[in-house]
Amino acid sequence: MKTLARFLRSHREQILQEWEQRTLELPSSQGLSREARRDHIPQLLDSMADAIERGDTSTISLEQVPLTHAGERWLQDYDLREIVAEYRLLRRVVMDLYTADAGDVPEEARRRLPLLVTFNENIDHAITDAVDHYALQRDRMREYFVGMLSHDLRDPLHAIAMTAEIQLLQPHLTEADRLGSTRIVASARRMKRLIDDMLDMTRGRIGSGLPVKPVNTDLRPLLQETVAELGDAHPARRIECVIEAGGDL
């Protein structure tokens, strides 16, 4: 029977083809090209073969390939469960093919190999379920935190806006004071919209979804307000807002 390192090299393409076929069950793999689906898995097999020959079990032995692969999968909208499943399927393919190639192994050992395959498969499923549940709970707690933070920010923001609005009612304000208070009111309203958006996003992620009602909107006031805030933040700069629109605007 070939050593595992030699087996990985000699059966590299067979392993990759079988692995590709099994990963077609993952939703995010649909529509990907062959190169995109394989990504860094060929390099991973090569690194594993080298590590086995050296007897190296450190994370350095895989030459950062898993980190690069994870980054690519994140860009391709894979979720955590799918990334874990890719490695689970890769191990299952290697074990199945390696076991089938064990023609010169004693009968007793050949009877035990399928039991080890089943054991590893169950361990992989347990890891997948545990990681998935952990990530779900972590994300849920993060969403609750964002929701609570956004809710608590509304009261001090409301106080800032009310103070600025009261200031605008005072007589004998200089033009500069009036302009500054107006900017505070406008900025506070904008921040309120941002906080409302954060709360809506939180409700959408941990609740029953986010209702959307499209309406026609004139973006000119929003653009002018944004540019005015940029001008206040950078008084040494000259920032102009030029809006050109046709149609019915």
Side-chain angles (χ1 to χ4, degrees):
M1 184 179 181
K2 300 182 181 69
T3 65
L4 183 55
R6 284 196 296 132
F7 177 83
L8 291 177
R9 293 194 178 96
S10 62
H11 291 70
R12 184 175 184 266
E13 186 59 32
Q14 183 183 2
I15 292 171
L16 289 172
Q17 289 180 1
E18 180 65 25
W19 176 80
E20 279 186 86
Q21 188 63 34
R22 298 192 190 189
T23 56
L24 287 175
E25 68 186 49
L26 303 178
S28 296
S29 70
Q30 306 299 318
L32 292 181
S33 66
R34 182 183 182 187
E35 292 75 16
R37 185 178 293 112
R38 288 190 175 190
D39 192 52
H40 291 79
I41 298 301
Q43 295 93 310
L44 181 64
L45 286 175
D46 294 338
S47 298
M48 283 185 174
D50 294 339
I52 290 171
E53 287 185 335
R54 296 192 307 266
D56 188 354
T57 59
S58 68
T59 56
I60 301 176
S61 65
L62 300 183
E63 301 175 354
Q64 304 298 312
V65 173
L67 302 183
T68 307
H69 178 69
E72 290 293 330
R73 288 309 193 226
W74 184 79
L75 294 174
Q76 293 162 347
D77 291 330
Y78 275 62
D79 61 28
L80 185 58
R81 173 178 284 269
E82 290 175 309
I83 295 175
V84 174
E86 281 193 319
Y87 290 108
R88 173 177 59 81
L89 292 171
L90 180 61
R91 179 158 64 176
R92 183 59 192 261
V93 167
V94 170
M95 295 189 72
D96 285 347
L97 296 178
Y98 193 53
T99 301
D101 191 62
D104 55 347
V105 173
E107 183 63 27
E108 178 63 21
R110 294 193 66 181
R111 285 199 301 266
R112 292 184 177 186
L113 282 174
L115 300 178
L116 289 175
V117 171
T118 301
F119 174 78
N120 276 282
E121 187 74 7
N122 281 291
I123 287 293
D124 286 337
H125 280 298
I127 291 173
T128 300
D129 290 341
V131 169
D132 187 61
H133 185 70
Y134 179 90
L136 178 65
Q137 295 302 317
R138 179 199 59 195
D139 291 343
R140 186 174 293 272
M141 288 303 298
R142 182 186 295 121
E143 296 297 337
Y144 275 123
F145 174 76
V146 171
M148 289 187 295
L149 179 62
S150 301
H151 185 272
D152 291 343
L153 285 174
R154 290 193 299 183
D155 288 340
L157 183 61
H158 180 69
I160 292 172
M162 286 295 296
T163 301
E165 289 175 358
I166 292 173
Q167 182 68 21
L168 284 172
L169 297 177
Q170 302 301 314
H172 312 302
L173 279 181
T174 65
E175 187 61 28
D177 290 339
R178 185 174 300 278
L179 181 60
S181 297
T182 301
R183 289 279 182 264
I184 292 174
V185 171
S187 297
R189 289 174 180 172
R190 187 181 178 195
M191 289 179 65
K192 181 182 180 302
R193 289 196 299 269
L194 292 174
I195 291 174
D196 289 342
D197 289 343
M198 291 177 64
L199 289 171
D200 286 341
M201 181 185 69
T202 301
R203 284 192 290 264
R205 289 178 63 90
I206 64 177
S208 58
L210 181 63
V212 177
K213 296 180 180 180
V215 295
N216 293 326
T217 303
D218 185 359
L219 294 178
R220 287 176 294 186
L222 177 61
L223 292 174
Q224 291 167 345
E225 179 181 317
T226 302
V227 172
E229 289 180 358
L230 288 173
D232 290 341
H234 304 278
R237 302 279 185 175
R238 179 180 178 183
I239 303 176
E240 297 181 350
C241 179
V242 179
I243 301 176
E244 296 181 359
D248 298 330
L249 293 180

